[in-house]
Amino acid sequence: MIIATNNQGKINEIKKIFHEYKIHSLKEKGLNVDVLEDQDTFLGNAKKKAKEIYEIIHEETIADDSGLCIKALDGFPGVMTHRFLGDNATDRMRNEYLIHEIDKYNDRSAQVICSLVYYNGTKFIEAEGVLDGFISRECRGKNGFGFDEIFELPNGLTLAELSPKEKNEISARAVAIKTLKKRLESHNI
């Protein structure tokens, strides 16, 4: 199977959790493709990525889209999590912006949502994972990527303060992958 992403953090997480399957990144297959995420849902973006990559390489494809949804900001940044400050913004710039924005509100609750799909050229198999938490008051932790350093769990630790193993047991992506694995097995894939 091919993972339809160039994000090394996602590749590492998916390969660790999906260890029973032979998974290849786009780079390992010699592809330098970046699918435009222009859909208005995580599931829409995941399906678009899976289908476009499948049409190039004609191999079973796994794709995801995930993001941070902050309750007080009406779900922002949502599907724009990686792009809301433009293509040149760093994770730290986005995280500091979100901390500044959420400081205006009492409610710091947020969710990480991950939509994950498998596509074999004829059908999609879908899964979703959700992780509830809060936006921290500062960036904390050195592990992870994206918004991990500001997504605080109910135990007070950010995702970036967890070990990769600990994160892979609870993350929205881990939940989605485990669900997808069960669905693939029920389809004898």
Side-chain angles (χ1 to χ4, degrees):
M1 289 185 218
I2 307 300
I3 303 172
T5 185
N6 291 307
N7 182 313
Q8 193 59 50
K10 286 184 182 184
I11 292 166
N12 293 342
E13 285 183 6
I14 291 171
K15 281 186 171 188
K16 282 180 186 168
I17 299 171
F18 243 129
H19 60 86
E20 300 95 342
Y21 294 85
K22 189 166 186 165
I23 304 285
H24 300 281
S25 68
L26 294 174
K27 185 177 181 180
E28 289 169 334
K29 285 291 188 172
L31 293 175
N32 185 12
V33 178
D34 199 10
V35 176
L36 178 64
E37 296 176 340
D38 58 0
Q39 304 300 299
D40 57 4
T41 65
F42 296 119
L43 181 59
N45 280 330
K47 287 174 111 174
K48 181 181 180 191
K49 288 190 276 190
K51 188 172 184 185
E52 285 190 25
I53 296 302
Y54 180 87
E55 289 173 357
I56 293 169
I57 201 156
H58 300 288
E59 291 184 32
E60 297 167 301
T61 303
I62 296 171
D64 90 315
D65 192 35
S66 58
L68 180 63
C69 300
I70 301 172
K71 185 176 179 182
L73 303 180
D74 296 323
F76 180 83
V79 295
M80 297 298 293
T81 295
H82 188 71
R83 302 177 305 278
F84 72 91
L85 285 182
D87 291 335
N88 295 323
T90 64
D91 288 344
R92 179 55 62 98
M93 291 166 66
R94 286 186 287 273
N95 291 341
E96 288 177 353
Y97 175 88
L98 290 172
I99 289 171
H100 175 73
E101 287 300 302
I102 196 67
D103 279 345
K104 301 172 188 173
Y105 301 91
N106 289 329
D107 186 356
R108 301 182 78 83
S109 59
Q111 290 183 317
V112 179
I113 299 174
C114 176
S115 289
L116 185 67
V117 299
Y118 161 90
Y119 184 64
N120 65 2
T122 57
K123 71 177 171 182
F124 288 99
I125 299 175
E126 306 166 6
E128 182 179 80
V130 177
L131 181 64
D132 293 311
F134 308 92
I135 301 302
S136 63
R137 296 193 180 278
E138 62 187 357
C139 296
R140 297 192 328 261
K142 300 292 181 201
N143 298 324
F145 59 95
F147 50 80
D148 288 352
E149 66 184 3
I150 65 166
F151 191 81
E152 190 173 281
L153 302 165
N155 66 7
L157 297 174
T158 66
L159 287 174
E161 292 175 306
L162 301 178
S163 71
K165 183 178 182 211
E166 290 169 323
K167 180 183 172 189
N168 284 342
E169 291 173 2
I170 64 162
S171 74
R173 187 169 295 109
V175 171
I177 291 170
K178 290 171 188 171
T179 302
L180 184 63
K181 281 171 65 173
K182 288 179 186 173
R183 292 182 179 163
L184 291 175
E185 289 166 5
S186 73
H187 286 86
N188 294 318
I189 295 172

